[in-house]
Amino acid sequence: MQNFEYCTPRTLGETFDLLGENDCQCRVLAGGTDLIVQLRQGALSVDRVIDIKHLPECKQLICDPIEGLTLGATVPCHRIYEDKAIVDTYPGLIDSIAIIGGIQIQGRATVGGNLCNSSPSADSIPILIAYGATCEIVGAAENRRIPVENFCTGPGKNILEKGEILVAIHLPPVPKSSGAHYLRFIPRFEMDIAVVGAGAYVELDDEGRMFNKVRIGLAAVAPTPLYAREAGDLLKGREVSDESIDAAASSAQSIARPISDMRAPAEYRKHLVKVLTRRALWGAINRARGEFVPNAVQNNDQ
Amino acid sequence: MGKKLYINTTINGEAVEFLCEPRQSLLEIFRDHLGMTGTKEGCNDGNCGACNVIIDGVLMNSCLIFAVEAQDRKIVTIEGLASPQGLHPLQQKFLEHASLQCGICTPGFLVAAKALLDQNPDPTEHEVRHWLAGNLCRCTGYDKIVRAVLDAANVAPNTETSLQSSN
Ligand code: FES
Ligand code: FES
């Protein structure tokens, strides 16, 4: 691995000074589970690695019934699923982060890093899209908040400009009759990259029979994670039924433009989108109705 | 650029300081500079768990940590498991169940299993298998490892002392 300078700024101001220096290739370090591998493989070259784990803004983890969830960009996955309030309030998020790598990866890896690595198959992104999460981006000159679905621009690419960092992700508060679910297909039980992933968020009426709001996110079926806007919108005001859900799943399938690779041929991915969207929706509906849907953190064993 | 940094940290309860380049992994420092070769390098990219360590109570791959990040942390490595009085119950149970063949994966499994039992002293088989999914073994077929961990959990609650009395 080529050598570089390592910096641990304690304030955002210091961070921007380090990032802004001319002719200095900088990379931001959070959990490092992607960055270190890429540096070691020589896929990236850097002059300076800026470890932002000591910035208070990036360490926040606040689950508030009115404000929603504030998820600092460097909070590792294990801190999220060890927080009972988050496990109970955002089970869809837990579905995804508890299957990213193994336990030792989850001890380091962050949702902020998963987002900034901008892989089309990132597990946390579809469910963030489904929850309607936003990215809090700060720079020396201005701050901006953008929806997660607008963050990634291509494989490994995103909208962050030079000098900007992602400091936090915000998930809106969740009303009572809402639910969310993420699932992916992999050919084994653990430790793999999604062949396809689907996340759904639903808000139902008080009886749990009609859809008030639906958002669906997809992974590994396009150069970026996708927001299946039409698929969600067409369920609005419709009854929860196999037919309505099938229509939404077909709509999600129609926007998928997967590639064939060593994990699966495109046709198979296309098929999976429909199956997984349907299942993600049912999981979200069941949770919205107060039923128990297991995940890697809460399962029937316990 | 890339100048060496002095790092102060705690490894297995002892204050340790070392000089390292920012690009060096914690695994590299253990093995090549501190003479602590118990922690193994399997894949060097986060897939196999052979390099597992516990940092501030959290299980991590030492190949995916820059050594400079170890400043002011508390690290437990495989060398920290056995005590002068004898093997850690997990080590003892790995022997009894023949949970290793070539042994390269064993330190990683032991450290992972310790991290599990520290926070969940009575895991189900499902929980053990889920927890150990990030550790690869090409020899044993995993079953004997899972049995050893479950058996070690039964030795609890105060594993260290109850094992010694059973010896
Ligand atoms: S050597 Fe670190 S995970 Fe394989
Ligand atoms: S005993 Fe050989 S790899 Fe596990």
Side-chain angles (χ1 to χ4, degrees):
Chain A
M1 196 189 294
Q2 57 147 188
N3 221 346
F4 48 79
E5 182 190 10
Y6 172 79
C7 307
T8 49
R10 305 283 154 163
T11 65
L12 282 172
E14 272 177 63
T15 312
F16 298 135
D17 290 345
L18 290 164
L19 277 171
E21 206 170 297
N22 283 333
D23 302 321
C24 181
Q25 278 287 341
C26 296
R27 282 308 257 209
V28 166
L29 172 69
T33 52
D34 289 305
L35 181 69
I36 296 178
V37 175
Q38 288 160 5
L39 288 171
R40 194 171 282 146
Q41 288 170 342
L44 275 181
S45 80
V46 287
D47 303 312
R48 176 181 285 164
V49 167
I50 305 173
D51 185 350
I52 60 165
K53 282 194 288 295
H54 302 280
L55 296 177
E57 293 83 353
C58 294
K59 290 197 275 197
Q60 323 171 63
L61 183 59
I62 306 162
C63 189
D64 182 281
I66 293 154
E67 299 291 323
L69 178 65
T70 303
L71 178 50
T74 65
V75 173
C77 294
H78 80 96
R79 258 188 75 196
I80 304 170
Y81 61 63
E82 282 165 11
D83 187 317
K84 179 86 171 73
I86 302 175
V87 171
D88 291 342
T89 316
Y90 295 94
L93 178 67
I94 304 299
D95 294 340
S96 77
I97 60 160
I99 56 174
I100 296 177
I103 301 292
Q104 50 278 72
I105 293 290
Q106 292 155 17
R108 276 280 276 178
T110 66
V111 176
N114 202 223
L115 199 47
C116 291
N117 190 52
S118 303
S119 163
S121 59
D123 282 308
S124 69
I125 303 180
I127 197 68
L128 291 175
I129 291 173
Y131 273 117
T134 53
C135 307
E136 183 183 346
I137 297 168
V138 302
E142 60 156 5
N143 300 346
R144 47 190 184 135
R145 277 261 199 138
I146 64 137
V148 169
E149 58 265 30
N150 296 341
F151 186 80
C152 300
T153 54
K157 296 204 176 73
N158 57 55
I159 58 150
L160 287 179
E161 308 267 357
K162 183 173 164 63
E164 283 187 327
I165 61 167
L166 174 74
V167 293
I169 299 153
H170 297 272
L171 279 72
V174 284
K176 229 176 123 244
S177 43
S178 70
H181 186 43
Y182 173 77
L183 79 173
R184 68 179 177 191
F185 178 81
I186 56 173
R188 50 191 197 177
F189 292 118
E190 314 262 1
M191 291 287 289
D192 210 343
I193 292 172
V195 173
V196 173
Y201 169 83
V202 305
E203 285 175 18
L204 304 180
D205 67 354
D206 291 340
E207 285 78 49
R209 286 180 36 210
M210 308 279 276
F211 292 106
N212 283 344
K213 180 179 174 184
V214 180
R215 289 177 60 99
I216 296 164
L218 303 172
V221 293
T224 64
L226 292 183
Y227 171 34
R229 183 191 301 271
E230 270 175 36
D233 285 353
L234 69 81
L235 287 176
K236 215 175 183 176
R238 284 183 70 173
E239 207 169 322
V240 175
S241 69
D242 286 329
E243 292 73 51
S244 63
I245 287 168
D246 217 58
S250 296
S251 165
Q253 186 179 36
S254 72
I255 65 160
R257 37 202 166 90
I259 54 164
S260 296
D261 64 11
M262 67 176 198
R263 283 179 223 294
E267 300 78 354
Y268 188 47
R269 284 200 161 97
K270 200 80 181 164
H271 165 75
L272 282 172
V273 176
K274 190 166 176 183
V275 175
L276 294 184
T277 302
R278 207 159 41 205
R279 290 185 193 168
L281 280 166
W282 274 117
I285 292 161
N286 288 337
R287 281 187 174 144
R289 289 172 170 170
E291 287 159 33
F292 176 70
V293 178
N295 58 28
V297 171
Q298 290 186 306
N299 55 55
N300 293 326
D301 264 20
Q302 286 156 355
Chain B
M1 173 187 311
K3 69 173 179 350
K4 290 197 171 186
L5 297 171
Y6 234 113
I7 303 301
N8 290 285
T9 189
T10 304
I11 305 180
N12 301 325
E14 277 177 41
V16 174
E17 49 179 39
F18 55 84
L19 197 57
C20 69
E21 288 181 350
R23 65 175 166 185
Q24 289 180 296
S25 70
L26 188 57
L27 175 63
E28 198 176 328
I29 293 298
F30 287 147
R31 295 186 55 85
D32 299 348
H33 297 265
L34 299 177
M36 297 173 65
T37 52
T39 306
K40 301 303 179 200
E41 178 180 323
C43 60
N44 209 25
D45 65 10
N47 273 295
C48 75
C51 65
N52 282 348
V53 293
I54 301 171
I55 302 190
D56 294 336
V58 182
L59 185 68
M60 299 183 187
N61 297 308
S62 61
C63 70
L64 290 188
I65 299 168
F66 290 125
V68 288
E69 295 180 76
Q71 177 68 36
D72 298 328
R73 313 293 289 272
K74 288 194 171 52
I75 306 172
V76 174
T77 69
I78 184 65
E79 286 89 349
L81 259 66
S83 67
Q85 287 74 44
L87 295 178
H88 186 278
L90 278 162
Q91 293 172 310
Q92 186 62 38
K93 291 300 173 191
F94 266 57
L95 285 178
E96 288 172 17
H97 287 266
S99 308
L100 57 147
Q101 290 177 33
C102 80
I104 187 126
C105 69
T106 313
F109 271 102
L110 286 166
V111 170
K114 175 177 160 42
L116 170 63
L117 298 188
D118 284 350
Q119 72 170 70
N120 180 0
D122 192 19
T124 62
E125 177 175 341
H126 177 88
E127 286 167 337
V128 172
R129 288 184 184 274
H130 176 68
W131 188 274
L132 297 178
N135 285 73
L136 299 182
C137 174
R138 68 184 172 183
C139 307
T140 64
Y142 302 101
D143 209 56
K144 292 176 172 188
I145 294 173
V146 173
R147 277 172 213 294
V149 176
L150 288 167
D151 199 5
N154 288 331
V155 176
N158 190 340
T159 44
E160 230 114 345
T161 45
S162 57
L163 176 79
Q164 281 149 29
S165 57
S166 73
N167 266 345

